[in-house]
Amino acid sequence: MPSDFDDLVFFVNGKKIVERNADPEMTLLTYIRRKLGLTGTKLGCGEGGCGACTVMISKYDHFQKKIIHYSINACLAPVCSLHHTAVTTVEGIGSVTSRLHPVQERIAKAHGSQCGFCTPGIVMSMYSLLRNTPQPAMEEIEEAFQGNLCRCTGYMSILEGYKTFANNSGCCGGKGKQDGCCMNKEETNEMYLQPGLYDPSEFKPIDPTQEPIFPPELLLFDRLSSKQLQFKGERMMWIQPCSLSGLLSLKAEYPDAKLVVGNTEIGIEIKYKNMLYPVILAPGYISELNIVQHTEEGIIFGAACTLTLIGDVLRKAVSELPKHKTEVFQAVLEQLRWFAGQQIRNVAAIGGNIMTASPISDLNPVFMAAGCKLTLLSKGGKRVIKIDDKFFTGYRKTALKPQEILLSVEIPYTRQGQYFSAFKQASRREDDIAIVNCGMSVLFKEGTNVVKELLVSYGGMAPTTVLARKTCGQLIDREWNEELLQEACCLLAEEMSLPPSAPGGMVVYRRTLTLSFFFKFYLTVQQKLVKDLGANKYHAEHLSPGYASATELFHKDFPSSVQIFQAVPPGQSMEDVVGRPVVHLSALKQATGEAIYCDDMPRYENELYLTLVTSTKAHAKIISIDTAEAMEVPGVVCFLSYKDIPGSNITGPIVLDETVFAEDTVTSVGHIIGAVVADTQAHSQRAAKAVKITYEELKRTITILDAIANKSFYQPIRKIERGNLDKGFQEADHIVEGEMHMGGQEHFYLETHCTLAVPKGEDGEMELFASTQDATKTQALVAKVLGVPSNRIVCRVKRMGGGFGGKESRSTLLSTVVAVAAHKVKRPVRCMLDRDEDMLITGGRHPFLGRYKVGFLKTGQIVAVDVTYYSNAGSSTDLSLAIIERALFHMDNSYNIPHIRGLGYVCKTNLPSNTAFRGFGGPQGMMIAECWLSDVALKCDLPAEQVRKINMYKQGDVTPYTQKLEQFTTDKCWEECLVKSNYHQRRKQIEEFNRQHRWKKRGIAIIPTKFGISFTASFLNQAGALIHIYTDGSVLLTHGGTEMGQGLHTKMAQVASRALQIPISKIHISETSTNTVPNTSPTAASVSSDLNGMAIYNACQILLKRMEPYRNQNPKGSWEAWVKAAYFDSVSLSATGYFRTPGINYDFEKNEGNPFHYFSYGVACSEIEIDCLTGDHKNLSTCIVMDVGLSLNPAIDIGQIEGAFMQGVGLYTLEELRYSPDGNLYTRGPGMYKIPGFGDIPTEFNVSLLREAPNSKAIYSSKAVGEPPLFLASSVFFAIKDAIYAARTESGLRGPFRLDSPATPERIRTACADKFTKLCPPAEPGTYTPWDVQM
């Protein structure tokens, strides 16, 4: 082996890169951001699960003999894997300063970019698709985004913008024409009230001839290299052999070396599991490992063939070969449909998938049931083995010998009389790991329904992929009939058992799925037998149309949407942009990657990087901290602890009950103990992992039930009460009692917490660049920890990549630590948390337990409610008291209950402190309300919408906290939503559907919301603004709010534009900073437009008054002329504005005064369909009618409604934080924690802004919009509950039943009790330690 190492040669955006010291541990993302300064590509998760880092790779494919383009995750791609390729990043396709690419333009102008952090990745996924398919089908567009996540927009605006590229968008086919426009429904005048949020005809056409050319130099390497490549880093060597013999020699020399093609598994092991592989072999360019060979028995794929290539080959085979030969191929394709995202499939190799030996591999159960053959090779020779139950020898272990490699896989044809199916169930349909998956194959004796061979293989039921050998053996020579089904289910229930403490949890659900999948297979085979043998020869008992739906593969139409809003009044000046759908001011920059986020700021010359050291115990004393090994890591400068703090270690946003660093005790897993500062992120992270801490564990409180048992509560316990409960319950005809648990939620802003601290070197001054919603609190707490006055600290916020409340108070956890580090080393220090750190440390939405007792009349009229809320606050107070208060303020939702009492307990537990999250306790309070209302409807056997309507507030009613409802519009929203959603007709259609289908059920629900607008802490309802007018007429606007994607800066520029009567183009907002507007309130509670808008208006009026004499003197003059005249007359052209909300004065002790300035109202109707056998569901339609007053910007408001709704869909149906019994968070990234994806949006998603509903209490008659729509997603939850009730009724179960939130597939399936669930009873609680516990 040569001793010298090679140069790495590749291209980035057309520029040649020659890297002399390529580090095998460095990813492409780190390289382009740190070494090339291309910061458009973002780090969102580091595990290939969010798509923020998507770039396009182009290379000459030696095996296909052509140039290929494909998207990849730059966060997983080792830079060493890119030799002789061309990389295109978002900066390489267009720029706001030169030419926008149509892909960039359309997402921005279609309002598909809010915070913008995910936008470059989405742009590059679309761009890669268009490079291969200039006119893609709608399905191809959706598939291209399977590996991309967005937390802000709700996805619809992105799809609407990009479907303009499609060849079959279905719109516009013209109104009234058959199969034409998606708006082909009964016309109303209302549809013509608005001109549309944008005009697609203005989009630039795409011109494939204008795309960057493939670097000609790379075409010179059109033959495979005959030279072996080697790259060496500090700890790892990367060898790219050029021949099969060379690979075998290397494998003999380094038997423990890992073979890497896509790095989609090894990359994650190195980053997250602390694994180190000194030698990596990269065999991706060896021809024998890339073969595709058709034989008489099947198709042979080289082990390095990517999953994308395999999909293409199998699809072609399915289209050309007789159907009976391709059953396995179709099963593989069905699994690939839902296998990760496109970026992963483009690079992941089939050999890697097999050799990883994951127990939840999507393909291994298929390969095992199909009896696929593997060819193994070593210097010692070749052998061929089958993938059977002996191949996987243990958890992530196979039968390969250390020196052997996997050469190829043969996927066989199926035979006449053989039937094959594959199934998978995951938490989310797209890009998710399986809970259980399977491959099933049956071969019948010729011309009969007698089983000759049966193979049933499962993933997710053991440490390895397993064959149900005993069950299969017992069913040979049996007829395929009801008797076989019953016996198979009993045998499988016994053979596929799991211990109740099994890793992964969901034990009963997983066992039930094994039976449900077999039942689906049984019915599928029945259908095929009837077709192939004929109904006379084979009679099928179950083949009623009602059962046939159980065999249908998942299908969802491309989503469509309608947005209805009120046009601006006739005669409004074109320069007056208030009420117009102005594009987000940063959208174009976000689409080109030119928008700068905190971690995009250029490096300072002497900058250092910090990594946190956190607790691994929930409650323990710290016995010792050993940093010796950490300090030996190259580049390490120092270790920080509480001993390094110059000021106070005591901190907290309201109550000072936290520490910057733990001193002698830790109170949660993730509690910050110390930090390592080093020259690079890689070094600081490596050193942080080397810090050794010993603990003495203490008694811990983890769950709400633990806290109740231990009486572990923060004080005070809050109460709101009105009426006479005893009297109310006496008047009631019926009383129902129940409880509901609602899980927490991770914010999952795409940009994690980030701070850059720059010490100024004199007077204790420091400048902080932070991703925070509360610059003032950051300033104050950093000043406190450094022991200096606040006037020495400046906090600056350009923009955030999402916030949702998660950066309101918890951002100071990081900022204070980074500031201490910068103070100590007297150099700039930066830290951006990795996704797993962020999820572990910073907390999320509070889990809630609600217990209720409800008295009601036979008519459904509710007369008395007694409800108690318990929230899991975690290890510090944070904002939890305000959150439980808001839950109590929303315990009535939209219903007038004469006798009601609410109690709120804040539970003190050993979890990272939970915090603000969009809705701030309101969604939890209203969810419990809708739960007891649903119970009342079921108990009375009345339609839920009828019970909701008769209990609904009316104009002038008074809430339990004595606030009178003025400008009440829920009733208007309700009636409009009933009409727009076609509710009553849909209800009839659903009842008919449910009569005809046994294993699929549909449900519908219509839900109102009433959300109080104001900070409940009255002193926060104030804001300031600063406006500078420069002598050229340009205006610099600064206000107290921060931009996190919600379009606040855009709306504020619109407000200033109208107030000053100048074009919006003259106004610029640079950033939010504590040295321009002091003492700001956090950007939260949905009030930022109200507060800052009024402060800006105030400042504008001051300036207009000063300029009035010059306007009067020269009425026909220009703005610039008036400005100059004022300046030359020595008039100040700078003004501060201020506003405080009047009348916020609620007193909990007296239950009097108003907690809110006004309310936002809305109603949503959703229809869903569930699969009763798996618990899967799909969102069929949602119609929202929302009162936003007179919208300042309908595009931004509709975007907020859609985004909040989809975040709520995650909260109520998908997102589940899972903790171990000892308080350790399992769900630390997109691999295990699932937010909604593109495929989760309702197929029909319509949003209407209520017309003629001006709000007299906010700027220009507008209303708050950020939080109120989120709760409307509970309509999906209650539609699911409606469908479950239909399934339970068919099983003979009636009346109220408990369904906790989120309504995950596990909960849906378990609630649909049937003969299969009875075969899998749960273990007795208390007889085992569960893998996870409900918080």
Side-chain angles (χ1 to χ4, degrees), residues 169-236:
S169 69
C171 224
C172 182
K175 275 194 168 258
K177 293 179 184 166
Q178 190 66 33
D179 299 321
C181 179
C182 63
M183 291 175 66
N184 183 10
K185 55 181 84 169
E186 193 176 326
E187 292 184 5
T188 65
N189 292 334
E190 191 177 342
M191 286 199 170
Y192 301 102
L193 283 175
Q194 72 288 332
L197 293 176
Y198 57 92
D199 182 359
S201 68
E202 293 178 359
F203 292 157
K204 290 177 194 160
I206 188 156
D207 182 357
T209 64
Q210 296 302 301
E211 301 299 354
I213 62 165
F214 184 70
E217 185 179 334
L218 292 182
L219 286 172
L220 300 176
F221 308 111
D222 61 351
R223 284 197 213 124
L224 280 171
S225 171
S226 56
K227 179 179 182 295
Q228 179 170 292
L229 293 174
Q230 285 181 213
F231 308 110
K232 182 87 167 66
E234 280 179 11
R235 304 189 299 168
M236 189 186 284

Side-chain angles (χ1 to χ4, degrees), residues 8 107 124 191 612 717 741 1023 1239 1272 1318:
L8 177 69
I107 194 171
M124 292 312 297
M191 286 199 170
L612 300 174
I717 291 153
H741 183 275
L1272 295 178
K1318 285 176 187 168

Side-chain angles (χ1 to χ4, degrees), residues 976-977 980-981 1163-1166 1181-1185 1244 1246-1247:
E976 193 172 313
C977 192
K980 281 195 159 64
S981 66
V1163 175
C1165 175
S1166 293
S1181 76
T1182 290
C1183 175
I1184 297 173
V1185 178
E1244 191 182 334
N1246 300 331
V1247 177

Side-chain angles (χ1 to χ4, degrees), residues 986-1138:
R986 278 183 187 271
R987 169 58 75 191
K988 285 179 189 161
Q989 290 168 346
I990 286 166
E991 286 167 3
E992 184 58 32
F993 178 91
N994 290 345
R995 271 194 292 276
Q996 294 177 7
H997 295 82
R998 173 61 187 95
W999 301 109
K1000 296 268 174 78
K1001 296 292 179 191
R1002 287 184 179 174
I1004 192 170
I1006 182 166
I1007 302 283
T1009 188
K1010 167 181 67 67
F1011 195 88
I1013 303 300
S1014 283
F1015 285 104
T1016 49
S1018 57
F1019 68 91
L1020 291 174
N1021 293 292
Q1022 58 175 305
L1026 174 65
I1027 299 180
H1028 298 317
I1029 303 174
Y1030 295 98
T1031 53
D1032 64 354
S1034 64
V1035 175
L1036 181 64
L1037 169 60
T1038 310
H1039 58 88
T1042 54
E1043 176 62 54
M1044 58 188 119
Q1046 82 281 42
L1048 178 62
H1049 284 350
T1050 306
K1051 283 185 172 182
M1052 294 305 92
Q1054 287 176 276
V1055 167
S1057 168
R1058 171 180 275 189
L1060 293 173
Q1061 297 159 41
I1062 60 173
I1064 195 171
S1065 58
K1066 293 188 186 299
I1067 298 166
H1068 179 63
I1069 301 176
S1070 175
E1071 62 180 5
T1072 307
S1073 57
T1074 54
N1075 60 351
T1076 51
V1077 179
N1079 310 321
T1080 56
S1081 295
T1083 305
S1086 305
V1087 295
S1088 299
S1089 289
D1090 293 4
L1091 294 177
N1092 294 292
M1094 291 300 283
I1096 288 165
Y1097 181 81
N1098 174 238
C1100 290
Q1101 294 309 307
I1102 293 168
L1103 288 165
L1104 286 174
K1105 194 163 186 185
R1106 290 179 192 164
M1107 292 175 66
E1108 193 175 353
Y1110 310 101
R1111 296 176 75 151
N1112 292 339
Q1113 288 168 15
N1114 181 14
K1116 291 187 178 175
S1118 66
W1119 167 256
E1120 288 80 3
W1122 299 330
V1123 167
K1124 280 198 166 66
Y1127 171 73
F1128 285 122
D1129 209 18
S1130 303
V1131 170
S1132 170
L1133 293 174
S1134 175
T1136 58
Y1138 180 78

Side-chain angles (χ1 to χ4, degrees), residues 22-242:
D23 183 354
E25 288 189 74
M26 184 174 281
T27 64
L28 172 62
L29 179 64
T30 303
Y31 191 91
I32 58 179
R33 285 181 63 83
R34 297 285 174 267
K35 290 215 167 188
L36 304 183
L38 297 171
T39 55
T41 311
K42 308 299 182 197
L43 173 64
C45 69
E47 56 178 85
C50 74
C53 65
T54 304
V55 298
M56 188 182 80
I57 302 295
S58 305
K59 71 176 184 182
Y60 182 80
D61 188 299
H62 303 279
F63 312 109
Q64 298 182 57
K65 305 291 185 202
K66 64 176 183 179
I67 298 165
I68 58 171
H69 310 285
Y70 55 95
S71 58
I72 67 161
N73 294 117
C75 73
L76 287 180
V79 70
C80 292
S81 67
L82 298 166
H83 191 62
H84 289 175
T85 66
V87 179
T88 305
T89 72
V90 69
E91 294 96 337
I93 67 169
S95 163
V96 289
T97 55
S98 55
R99 185 187 75 97
L100 283 172
H101 192 279
V103 174
Q104 296 167 325
E105 178 199 37
R106 291 189 197 188
I107 194 171
K109 292 185 178 175
H111 311 287
S113 182
Q114 288 185 20
C115 88
F117 204 79
C118 67
T119 306
I122 291 170
V123 163
M124 292 312 297
S125 287
M126 188 69 205
Y127 178 76
S128 302
L129 172 64
L130 293 174
R131 284 303 299 265
N132 291 306
T133 316
Q135 280 196 303
M138 304 284 274
E139 299 75 27
E140 290 174 301
I141 293 174
E142 244 192 321
E143 189 177 297
F145 294 136
Q146 283 181 348
N148 291 85
L149 295 176
C150 170
R151 194 55 151 167
C152 295
T153 63
Y155 300 109
M156 185 54 85
S157 51
I158 300 170
L159 288 176
E160 286 290 314
Y162 280 158
K163 81 177 185 184
T164 57
F165 286 116
N167 62 12
N168 61 339
S169 69
C171 224
C172 182
K175 275 194 168 258
K177 293 179 184 166
Q178 190 66 33
D179 299 321
C181 179
C182 63
M183 291 175 66
N184 183 10
K185 55 181 84 169
E186 193 176 326
E187 292 184 5
T188 65
N189 292 334
E190 191 177 342
M191 286 199 170
Y192 301 102
L193 283 175
Q194 72 288 332
L197 293 176
Y198 57 92
D199 182 359
S201 68
E202 293 178 359
F203 292 157
K204 290 177 194 160
I206 188 156
D207 182 357
T209 64
Q210 296 302 301
E211 301 299 354
I213 62 165
F214 184 70
E217 185 179 334
L218 292 182
L219 286 172
L220 300 176
F221 308 111
D222 61 351
R223 284 197 213 124
L224 280 171
S225 171
S226 56
K227 179 179 182 295
Q228 179 170 292
L229 293 174
Q230 285 181 213
F231 308 110
K232 182 87 167 66
E234 280 179 11
R235 304 189 299 168
M236 189 186 284
M237 181 159 63
W238 177 284
I239 307 175
Q240 184 177 303
C242 57

Side-chain angles (χ1 to χ4, degrees), residues 144-378:
F145 294 136
Q146 283 181 348
N148 291 85
L149 295 176
C150 170
R151 194 55 151 167
C152 295
T153 63
Y155 300 109
M156 185 54 85
S157 51
I158 300 170
L159 288 176
E160 286 290 314
Y162 280 158
K163 81 177 185 184
T164 57
F165 286 116
N167 62 12
N168 61 339
S169 69
C171 224
C172 182
K175 275 194 168 258
K177 293 179 184 166
Q178 190 66 33
D179 299 321
C181 179
C182 63
M183 291 175 66
N184 183 10
K185 55 181 84 169
E186 193 176 326
E187 292 184 5
T188 65
N189 292 334
E190 191 177 342
M191 286 199 170
Y192 301 102
L193 283 175
Q194 72 288 332
L197 293 176
Y198 57 92
D199 182 359
S201 68
E202 293 178 359
F203 292 157
K204 290 177 194 160
I206 188 156
D207 182 357
T209 64
Q210 296 302 301
E211 301 299 354
I213 62 165
F214 184 70
E217 185 179 334
L218 292 182
L219 286 172
L220 300 176
F221 308 111
D222 61 351
R223 284 197 213 124
L224 280 171
S225 171
S226 56
K227 179 179 182 295
Q228 179 170 292
L229 293 174
Q230 285 181 213
F231 308 110
K232 182 87 167 66
E234 280 179 11
R235 304 189 299 168
M236 189 186 284
M237 181 159 63
W238 177 284
I239 307 175
Q240 184 177 303
C242 57
S243 66
L244 185 57
S245 59
L247 173 63
L248 296 177
S249 298
L250 287 166
K251 192 66 173 127
E253 186 179 348
Y254 302 107
D256 294 330
K258 288 284 183 182
L259 272 67
V260 168
V261 176
N263 202 46
T264 55
E265 185 67 32
I266 298 298
I268 289 169
E269 286 184 0
I270 291 170
K271 184 169 179 63
Y272 292 107
K273 298 182 182 176
N274 219 8
M275 308 286 274
L276 178 63
Y277 301 108
V279 179
I280 294 285
L281 305 180
Y285 287 89
I286 295 171
S287 55
E288 292 90 337
L289 290 175
N290 287 277
I291 60 158
V292 176
Q293 188 179 341
H294 296 256
T295 69
E296 287 187 7
E297 293 183 356
I299 303 177
I300 295 172
F301 292 98
C305 287
T306 66
L307 299 181
T308 297
L309 174 66
I310 287 164
D312 292 342
V313 172
L314 293 182
R315 266 186 291 276
K316 188 167 185 288
V318 166
S319 69
E320 293 174 353
L321 293 169
K323 200 171 180 187
H324 75 268
K325 293 183 79 169
T326 63
E327 293 245 336
V328 173
F329 298 172
Q330 289 178 63
V332 172
L333 288 170
E334 180 60 21
Q335 297 300 73
L336 287 179
R337 230 178 119 191
W338 312 115
F339 189 109
Q342 188 70 54
Q343 298 94 319
I344 297 287
R345 294 195 293 269
N346 286 338
V347 296
I350 187 172
N353 190 263
I354 294 168
M355 294 305 301
T356 297
S358 167
I360 49 172
S361 158
D362 289 341
L363 295 178
N364 285 340
V366 179
F367 294 156
M368 188 179 281
C372 289
K373 289 179 190 166
L374 304 180
T375 302
L376 311 179
L377 205 57
S378 70

